[in-house]
Amino acid sequence: MTDGHARGAPGGPGNAHRALRDLVMAATVRIHRAGSGYALDEPGTFLGSGFFVAPNWVLTCAHVARSGEGGEVTVVYETGPGRGTSAVAGEVATAIPEQDIPEHAGPALRGNWPAPDLALVRLREPVDHDCAYVTERPAAYYGEAVVFYSGWSVVGGELRRLNGTCTVQGTLGGWSDDEQIRLGGDVLPPGVSGGPVVDPVRGEVVGVLKSQADRGLGGTCTGVEQLRALPVPAGEVRAEHDDSYQAVFHAHDRYHRDRQRHPDSDRSTWADVQNQLGARPGRALSPEERTQLLGRLADLPPPVSTRALLGLLESLLGSQAAIPHPAPRGWRDGLGALYETSRHDAALELVLDYAMRVMSAERPFVTPGTQAAERALWEWVRQTAEGRPGPAYRRRLSEQWIERLRLPPRDPSSADARAARTPEHAADRAPRRFALLELEQRGWEPGRCDWHVSVGGPTGEVVRLRDGERTPLEELPGVLAQPLAEAFRQCDEPGRPADLQVALPHLLLGLDVDAWQLGPGEPPLGAHRPVVVRCADREQLPDGDDPLGGKRPSADEEQHEREARWRWLHAYGAKAEVVDCEDGLRVPVPPADSLRGFPYRTVPVLCRYGDDRFEDDPVALVRIVHGGYGVALWRRWRGRPDAVCGEFHRQAGDTVARAGSADRLPELVHALRAGVRAGKPETFWADGIALFYDDPRRPLPGTGDLLEAP
């Protein structure tokens, strides 16, 4: 399936095509009725196929997704050869066109769903999986081409994965949203509907299997460009996730950019395979360059409207430029439109000019990371232009960038950023009553703890409620359920659950108290109320030469530094700094004396806490405490060693910057945990997140000083 802009590997299937098949199959899923339980291998619950189009998003046919009950389905996938299948709940986020389907409708009725017959399924919880690469090209007529497909079907009474090739016979319909691609040359058995259709020359998904022929071979598929027909939000777009189309494809492009960057993986990426196939996107870019460009475009806010994007394209191509249908909606769509109109001798210049216009385009909103994203896009343009278009052209690009720098910076305008500057915010974070849980680890019984539950008042007084001794760590949630419930009853206000401060010994700072459930069916503590961690035994950390790195300052110097950092973070704002991961590569946390040298605005972030690669990993959090920090973020690592983590880096940085003042972080982390619990994909990056928030001016009980809520 190609238009002649790229030549594939000669001689039929080879290593590149086998690698492409593996990538497609890794992203292909099967879809079952919700609540199938242990019947996931039973054909009776099977609805059809689909594929991961972005992290936590599945693209399939509307007639497949809507065959479930109440818009709920179960997605079954494999994380790799020999790793077995996993199942996760999903919900149909959107379908085009939307229509009612009668209960117990048969396959014939479902298969006649009007075109384009596409649906996006949103997972209800975060999982680690591979994603397919979806073309950014506009629709085209693919005559006499061969495509590859993948899906699931019932074979011999069992669910079996299958794949094959079809020939493109032409189209059905045309010049409208109901256009379909006609396929022939192979039998498309029931169940493969919703599976991906792949151009084996370019190595990218171009369509979704829709139906099988009534008689004979083949069937039809829908071009993925038809997703542009998804409804545009009626109201103001203030964040990426307000528009499902932009949210999915921005996440798609960032995923593939981060996967390509990953230095700790020996698996081929889609760009690797596309390069082996000899693909040359738009005659101007290598697959790696295209992947990096799309990732940088996806770091920016989307176009303010389709009309604005069309105006940008017309400024480059002239008013005679053919506008694809459906019209482009995202930056990636605009790039794909350039492929069809550029002359060979000016293709790269057109791409670079497009990137420069995107950099200065009007924004529907601005995030804390937008300015850095614009600079990163400029660096890509500058490096790509080196030695290729010519000195005069490179000089013109530099002049445009300088003009861009002269413009006043665009302030973040998200709801969170505005709230950080409102007078009501100060009242919201005024000292209130809070619950305090203290754990003391028994040196001779490291698997057991003594504990104390207290209630703290807004003026600093602390009242002890209950104590316990020698409780095994694994039994703490059950034992503490009643004492904590009593503390919460004394502190909670209508609609405002009180904070829970958890004072832990330094060797237990990673304890997942926020994930505890106090009873069957109860939400995790961190999803119901702000939960923060404090260090209960700073005085027991080593004195003198610090075995965690460098010379430890005196107690007075350390206290002064902690207070100075704390004041800065709450008066002037903060900036996140990932200290244990570089573009997906696990690195050691710097020694404590190096951490002390970071600017006072720094909030250390641990991306891979629990992914132990080095001997000193268990003391990573202790190093941060040693470094004089009262605020830090981390997440408990649950992914594979080569799982991409760029989204966590990006979102953690935006969250810290968006807070405005560090005292909003407990609320923001609570909102993220609640979002993960509620199945909101825009929060899934924060799965397992924890917040260290330890006010040096409010020592814990036992020091003779009063304690105040953060």
Side-chain angles (χ1 to χ4, degrees):
M1 185 173 280
T2 181
D3 54 11
H5 290 179
R7 293 182 300 172
N15 291 335
H17 287 139
R18 282 192 290 270
L20 176 62
R21 181 195 63 182
D22 290 344
L23 289 173
V24 174
M25 291 174 65
T28 303
V29 306
R30 65 179 197 252
I31 298 175
H32 290 250
R33 298 186 186 279
S36 300
Y38 295 102
L40 293 176
D41 291 328
E42 293 296 326
T45 68
F46 174 59
L47 300 176
S49 303
F51 59 97
F52 284 118
V53 66
N56 305 298
W57 288 92
V58 169
L59 177 58
T60 184
C61 286
H63 78 263
V64 172
R66 287 301 188 195
S67 293
E69 288 79 24
E72 301 288 330
V73 296
T74 298
V75 175
V76 180
Y77 65 99
E78 292 181 278
T79 59
R83 295 179 179 173
T85 58
S86 300
V88 60
E91 61 179 347
V92 183
T94 185
I96 49 175
E98 285 282 9
Q99 69 173 26
D100 293 330
I101 182 170
E103 189 175 358
H104 306 305
L109 177 59
R110 295 196 298 266
N112 289 326
W113 197 284
D117 191 11
L118 296 174
L120 286 169
V121 173
R122 177 171 52 210
L123 299 194
R124 300 297 300 271
E125 60 185 89
V127 297
D128 184 23
H129 59 78
D130 294 319
C131 297
Y133 183 87
V134 174
T135 185
E136 70 275 18
R137 291 182 295 155
Y141 176 74
Y142 303 108
E144 300 179 1
V146 174
V147 293
F148 171 82
Y149 70 89
S150 175
W152 287 81
S153 185
V154 179
V155 180
E158 296 181 0
L159 285 168
R160 301 289 297 274
R161 183 196 296 274
L162 55 86
N163 59 75
T165 58
C166 286
T167 56
V168 176
Q169 304 294 315
T171 61
L172 178 64
W175 293 336
S176 64
D177 292 339
D178 67 351
E179 183 179 61
Q180 301 170 55
I181 301 170
R182 293 170 46 234
L183 304 176
D186 195 8
V187 175
L188 297 178
V192 297
S193 292
V197 176
V198 181
D199 180 347
V201 175
R202 293 180 180 267
E204 55 192 27
V205 175
V206 295
V208 180
L209 285 173
K210 171 173 167 49
S211 64
Q212 62 185 134
D214 291 336
R215 292 180 296 275
L217 305 178
T220 65
C221 79
T222 301
V224 292
E225 76 281 349
Q226 295 295 337
L227 275 174
R228 300 175 190 175
L230 286 172
V232 175
E236 182 181 1
V237 175
R238 296 187 176 184
E240 184 180 275
H241 61 261
D242 287 343
D243 186 336
S244 294
Y245 181 84
Q246 306 293 358
V248 167
F249 280 107
H250 278 216
H252 169 280
D253 290 337
R254 290 194 295 261
Y255 167 87
H256 286 286
R257 184 266 314 274
D258 294 340
R259 170 64 69 194
Q260 188 64 27
R261 285 178 176 176
H262 205 301
D264 199 22
S265 176
D266 56 3
R267 294 191 297 155
S268 293
T269 67
W270 283 79
D272 292 336
V273 173
Q274 291 161 356
N275 193 56
Q276 295 173 42
L277 292 169
R280 191 76 181 166
R283 298 186 295 253
L285 304 173
S286 70
E288 294 91 341
E289 288 173 328
R290 186 259 306 270
T291 298
Q292 293 302 318
L293 172 57
L294 287 176
R296 283 169 168 79
L297 292 174
D299 282 336
L300 294 167
V304 71
S305 66
T306 292
R307 180 62 258 168
L309 178 57
L310 292 176
L312 189 156
L313 291 172
E314 290 166 358
S315 72
L316 290 169
L317 304 174
S319 58
Q320 298 84 7
I323 301 302
H325 184 82
R329 287 183 61 172
W331 299 128
R332 71 184 331 261
D333 306 334
L335 182 64
L338 298 183
Y339 295 166
E340 308 303 314
T341 55
S342 61
R343 303 188 317 275
H344 183 74
D345 58 349
L348 181 59
E349 290 187 18
L350 193 60
V351 169
L352 297 179
D353 287 343
Y354 176 73
M356 293 301 294
R357 281 170 169 75
V358 170
M359 208 179 302
S360 301
E362 183 183 358
R363 310 278 186 234
F365 58 87
V366 178
T367 71
T370 297
Q371 187 173 1
E374 291 171 352
R375 180 170 290 276
L377 181 57
W378 160 247
E379 286 300 317
W380 183 91
V381 169
R382 183 184 62 79
Q383 293 174 16
T384 305
E386 287 179 356
R388 295 171 74 175
Y393 180 76
R394 292 197 300 273
R395 184 166 55 253
R396 180 163 67 85
L397 289 179
S398 297
E399 290 170 353
Q400 292 178 32
W401 173 245
I402 291 172
E403 287 298 318
R404 174 71 189 86
L405 291 177
R406 289 174 178 167
L407 298 175
R410 294 180 270 205
D411 291 332
S413 58
S414 68
D416 283 336
R418 287 193 296 270
R421 297 190 291 266
T422 59
E424 291 81 2
H425 163 59
D428 287 346
R429 291 308 300 169
R432 296 190 295 126
R433 297 178 70 83
F434 62 96
L436 173 66
L437 168 63
E438 301 168 86
L439 297 184
E440 299 175 9
Q441 200 166 19
R442 305 171 73 90
W444 59 97
E445 290 182 298
R448 294 177 179 269
C449 286
D450 297 342
W451 53 266
H452 315 283
V453 174
S454 306
V455 169
T459 58
E461 72 279 7
V462 175
V463 177
R464 183 71 54 80
L465 294 183
R466 289 281 300 276
D467 302 287
E469 296 182 344
R470 303 186 65 248
T471 302
L473 283 171
E474 64 274 11
E475 296 180 12
L476 283 172
V479 171
L480 289 168
Q482 194 279 328
L484 286 176
E486 177 60 29
F488 298 149
R489 277 193 291 270
Q490 295 190 25
C491 299
D492 288 348
E493 301 172 13
R496 297 186 66 181
D499 295 356
L500 172 62
Q501 298 184 34
V502 186
L504 298 168
H506 64 272
L507 294 178
L508 288 181
L509 285 174
L511 191 66
D512 59 345
V513 178
D514 56 277
W516 288 359
Q517 293 178 274
L518 300 188
E522 290 286 322
L525 278 175
H528 184 60
R529 65 183 65 250
V531 177
V532 301
V533 173
R534 305 190 64 179
C535 184
D537 60 352
R538 285 179 182 270
E539 70 284 352
Q540 297 182 23
L541 299 179
D543 292 322
D545 290 335
D546 182 0
L548 304 174
K551 180 88 172 175
R552 184 178 180 184
S554 67
D556 288 344
E557 291 172 333
E558 185 172 306
Q559 179 69 11
H560 174 77
E561 183 175 349
R562 289 177 59 215
E563 291 182 0
R565 286 188 180 277
W566 186 269
R567 286 194 300 271
W568 183 281
L569 291 177
H570 289 75
Y572 303 109
K575 180 179 180 181
E577 183 74 30
V578 180
V579 295
D580 69 338
C581 183
E582 295 180 1
D583 289 331
L585 181 65
R586 176 73 169 90
V587 297
V589 175
D593 57 349
S594 296
L595 291 171
R596 292 187 194 105
F598 286 13
Y600 278 2
R601 64 177 179 171
T602 302
V603 172
V605 175
L606 296 178
C607 168
R608 298 199 168 220
Y609 180 76
D611 178 24
D612 295 339
R613 301 285 187 92
F614 307 100
E615 291 183 359
D616 55 356
D617 280 346
V619 294
L621 292 175
V622 182
R623 282 188 166 174
I624 291 172
V625 175
H626 261 282
Y629 293 89
V631 181
L633 274 172
W634 66 89
R635 66 166 175 173
R636 302 174 191 94
W637 182 251
R638 297 168 180 167
R640 298 175 298 189
D642 60 352
V644 295
C645 51
E647 199 67 10
F648 177 79
H649 293 203
R650 173 179 173 272
Q651 296 280 14
D654 277 2
T655 298
V656 170
R658 186 180 293 122
S661 172
D663 66 346
R664 291 197 70 235
L665 283 175
E667 289 179 351
L668 292 177
V669 170
H670 169 222
L672 288 168
R673 289 167 172 160
V676 173
R677 168 76 173 178
K680 297 180 179 179
E682 65 268 20
T683 66
F684 284 176
W685 66 270
D687 184 37
I689 198 171
L691 175 64
F692 179 69
Y693 195 85
D694 195 359
D695 190 343
R697 306 163 307 168
R698 313 296 179 191
L700 291 163
T703 63
D705 296 311
L706 295 179
L707 178 70
E708 187 174 306

